[in-house]
Amino acid sequence: MGRYSTMKLAFTLVILACWSKLSLASNTPESPDLGESQFLCESNLLSLNFSNAVITKIGQDFIGSQLITCLDLRKNQIEVIAPNAFSKLPKLKKLYLSNNKFSTARDIFTFGGHETLEILTANNAVRNAIYIDITIPGSYPNLEILFARENGFKDITATEKSPFPKLKILDLSGNRMTDTKFKNLLPSSLEHIYLNDNSFSTLKSLSKGSNVTTLILDNNRFTMIRDFSNNPNDIGLWLSAFHNLRHLSVAGNMISTIYSDFSGLNNLTYLNLSRNEISSLSSGAFQKLLQLETLDLSQNKIQEVIKMSSAINVTTLLLSCNKIQKVPANAFQQMPELRELSLKANLIEEVDVNSFAYLNYLETLDLSDNKLSSLPEGWTGAFNSLQILDLSENKFTSLESLSLSNTLPLVEVYLMANPLKYLDAGSFDNLPKNVTVDLAHRFHEGYPKC
């Protein structure tokens, strides 16, 4: 009786401690954040801040100075900018036009280029976005960063053949663009491209895309990824020219078919294909991605764990919110470097004793929100490094049904929303020493449901 009381008290304290311990943040890398706020006028630059000044028009030769390098015109009521409005600012490097009231997207660039400008931002600068083609007049021989989000561009051309020869970062997200003539304007210097939240169904590789390291294409209308095609009418996404690509995200599209083995993307470390229509993948789909570290296939229609034909070096694999029903033996044999594995929110009822064999380095395993009622004896045999195990929202009725070994290096086990019927002294005998059993939280507490 004494032993029972002691064990019960210790377990209660652990639960109370968990209330003050919010869930850990996911270590899944997100899109590189190169937002406008990172490039605002620095204190060491001579700048003029006219933001929120209720300016409605920028006339010709708006202001003149040999010293001004940064001009902030954000959050005004600007409807029109006259040609050569900034020609008397010969040292201007940064110009901010975001959040204004231009009549159409064509009015944003009417000042006609600038010789020294390095950064130009014009996000959400149009009063009412009317989806039209625009032509950018003039040249920007030193422009490195262009942000032009949410303005209603359908496509972009220019009066000059190469208006931005030094451009490194281009953000055209949120414009609902459908056409791709803008590709002809892009220089070989380009490193980061943001085209998310548009309406592209086809994008063929850029002829000068060899230096691009980041390509974000989330929330478009792509249905397939291709290596090549001889038919000019074929739709899809071609990636073969992006030889230095490291971060690729094509989440939230309608991709159901991948006709590509991603050959040529030898430097890719992050691939996000979540929120698509993928139901199956070939065993060799990712074999040529020799540097791949994170693969996100969550929120698709995958029914079976993908078996690779040869080993890959992925350290994070996200398969949450699919339709997987069981995890077969040696399912991840070709991914021995895995550190994080998420099978959350599938339909898993069965785990084989050898499902996770070869995963000696796995640190986090998420099996939450499935249909598991028990796990087989010995299923944790390969876990030399496992620290986090989330079994929340399953059908476990006792701690014994988890089949955990007391030699595991586990630090935290999450069991929220399981129909546990009893906890007695013997329930804790096979749990790892000093493990925290959390009945109140999930590991990724803030994650939305599928």
Side-chain angles (χ1 to χ4, degrees):
M1 183 67 177
R3 182 189 176 202
Y4 174 77
S5 300
T6 303
M7 293 300 297
K8 183 177 180 180
L9 177 59
F11 188 65
T12 302
L13 290 173
V14 167
I15 295 174
L16 291 173
C18 287
W19 281 103
S20 63
K21 184 177 117 1
L22 297 177
S23 62
L24 301 177
S26 169
N27 63 0
T28 304
E30 297 180 355
S31 305
D33 183 7
L34 298 173
E36 179 178 10
S37 61
Q38 294 190 35
F39 303 101
L40 295 180
C41 300
E42 294 121 359
S43 58
N44 61 337
L45 295 179
L46 185 57
S47 61
L48 284 180
N49 187 344
F50 287 115
S51 61
N52 294 293
V54 202
I55 298 170
T56 60
K57 181 179 179 180
I58 303 294
Q60 193 171 24
D61 303 327
F62 167 65
I63 194 168
S65 171
Q66 296 288 324
L67 301 176
I68 293 172
T69 58
C70 187
L71 181 59
D72 190 346
L73 293 165
R74 293 174 301 147
K75 300 179 182 179
N76 278 286
Q77 307 291 320
I78 298 171
E79 297 178 353
V80 63
I81 299 180
N84 303 311
F86 308 113
S87 61
K88 291 188 176 180
L89 296 172
K91 294 186 178 180
L92 186 64
K93 293 184 177 181
K94 298 184 177 185
L95 175 61
Y96 302 97
L97 297 171
S98 296
N99 302 106
N100 274 288
K101 300 293 182 181
F102 292 102
S103 298
T104 72
R106 293 187 179 120
D107 299 319
I108 298 173
F109 298 95
T110 52
F111 58 91
H114 198 281
E115 288 294 314
T116 61
L117 203 60
E118 296 176 1
I119 299 175
L120 172 59
T121 75
N123 297 326
N124 192 27
V126 178
R127 176 185 284 116
N128 295 305
I130 301 171
Y131 300 103
I132 56 175
D133 295 339
I134 71 162
T135 298
I136 297 178
S139 63
Y140 299 79
N142 288 291
L143 193 69
E144 296 184 359
I145 299 171
L146 174 59
F147 290 163
R149 306 171 186 158
E150 300 178 21
N151 291 307
F153 304 146
K154 185 178 178 183
D155 201 356
I156 302 173
T157 56
T159 58
E160 302 291 326
K161 183 177 181 181
S162 182
F164 322 112
K166 294 183 180 180
L167 196 65
K168 293 181 179 179
I169 301 173
L170 175 64
D171 188 342
L172 296 174
S173 58
N175 279 295
R176 298 191 188 176
M177 297 176 72
T178 57
D179 300 329
T180 59
K181 291 178 183 177
F182 74 94
K183 293 192 309 175
N184 300 324
L185 310 180
L186 305 183
S188 58
S189 57
L190 204 58
E191 297 176 3
H192 305 276
I193 306 176
Y194 296 82
L195 296 173
N196 47 292
D197 299 287
N198 281 289
S199 298
F200 295 115
S201 60
T202 297
L203 183 64
K204 297 187 177 181
S205 290
L206 308 182
S207 59
K208 298 180 180 179
S210 60
N211 288 313
V212 174
T213 60
T214 302
L215 179 59
I216 309 299
L217 295 167
D218 298 348
N219 305 319
N220 278 280
R221 297 181 179 177
F222 296 110
T223 58
M224 62 187 69
I225 298 177
R226 297 178 178 274
D227 275 337
F228 62 89
S229 173
N230 294 321
N231 187 344
N233 296 319
D234 278 346
I235 62 173
L237 173 62
W238 281 258
L239 298 166
S240 56
F242 296 106
H243 302 305
N244 281 302
L245 198 62
R246 290 173 174 78
H247 188 113
L248 172 62
S249 187
V250 201
N253 281 267
M254 298 178 283
I255 296 170
S256 60
T257 307
I258 296 179
Y259 291 121
S260 171
D261 62 1
F262 301 98
S263 58
L265 304 186
N266 298 329
N267 295 302
L268 196 69
T269 61
Y270 177 87
L271 176 58
N272 186 352
L273 293 169
S274 66
R275 295 186 292 114
N276 279 288
E277 303 291 325
I278 300 168
S279 58
S280 62
L281 290 161
S282 70
S283 61
F286 308 109
Q287 301 305 133
K288 295 188 178 180
L289 298 177
L290 302 179
Q291 303 299 320
L292 191 64
E293 296 175 359
T294 298
L295 176 58
D296 190 346
L297 292 166
S298 58
Q299 297 190 53
N300 277 282
K301 297 181 178 180
I302 297 169
Q303 298 180 31
E304 296 180 352
V305 175
I306 304 154
K307 281 201 171 185
M308 303 296 173
S309 58
S310 59
I312 59 175
N313 294 319
V314 169
T315 57
T316 299
L317 176 62
L318 307 178
L319 286 167
S320 56
C321 304
N322 278 285
K323 298 186 177 182
I324 299 168
Q325 297 185 33
K326 64 179 181 179
V327 186
N330 305 317
F332 306 99
Q333 180 177 356
Q334 304 293 5
M335 303 181 194
E337 300 298 321
L338 275 179
R339 265 66 172 178
E340 178 177 354
L341 173 60
S342 178
L343 291 162
K344 172 185 175 180
N346 278 275
L347 305 171
I348 300 172
E349 296 179 313
E350 180 183 345
V351 168
D352 187 88
V353 66
N354 293 313
S355 289
F356 305 103
Y358 304 98
L359 298 186
N360 298 325
Y361 302 110
L362 192 68
E363 297 174 358
T364 301
L365 175 59
D366 192 343
L367 286 166
S368 64
D369 198 5
N370 278 288
K371 297 184 177 183
L372 293 165
S373 58
S374 65
L375 291 165
E377 289 288 341
W379 76 281
T380 61
F383 294 151
N384 296 330
S385 306
L386 191 67
Q387 297 182 33
I388 309 295
L389 175 61
D390 194 344
L391 296 170
S392 302
E393 296 189 82
N394 276 283
K395 297 182 178 182
F396 297 107
T397 58
S398 67
L399 294 183
E400 289 88 347
S401 60
L402 309 183
S403 300
L404 298 179
S405 166
N406 57 17
T407 61
L408 284 172
L410 270 174
V411 176
E412 299 170 16
V413 177
Y414 293 83
L415 286 171
M416 176 183 173
N418 276 282
L420 296 174
K421 293 182 178 179
Y422 65 91
L423 294 170
D424 59 24
S427 300
F428 305 96
D429 289 344
N430 289 324
L431 292 182
K433 186 179 180 181
N434 298 323
V435 69
T436 297
V437 178
D438 191 334
L439 301 178
H441 306 95
R442 302 174 186 86
F443 174 50
H444 294 313
E445 188 72 43
Y447 272 32
K449 286 281 189 179
C450 299

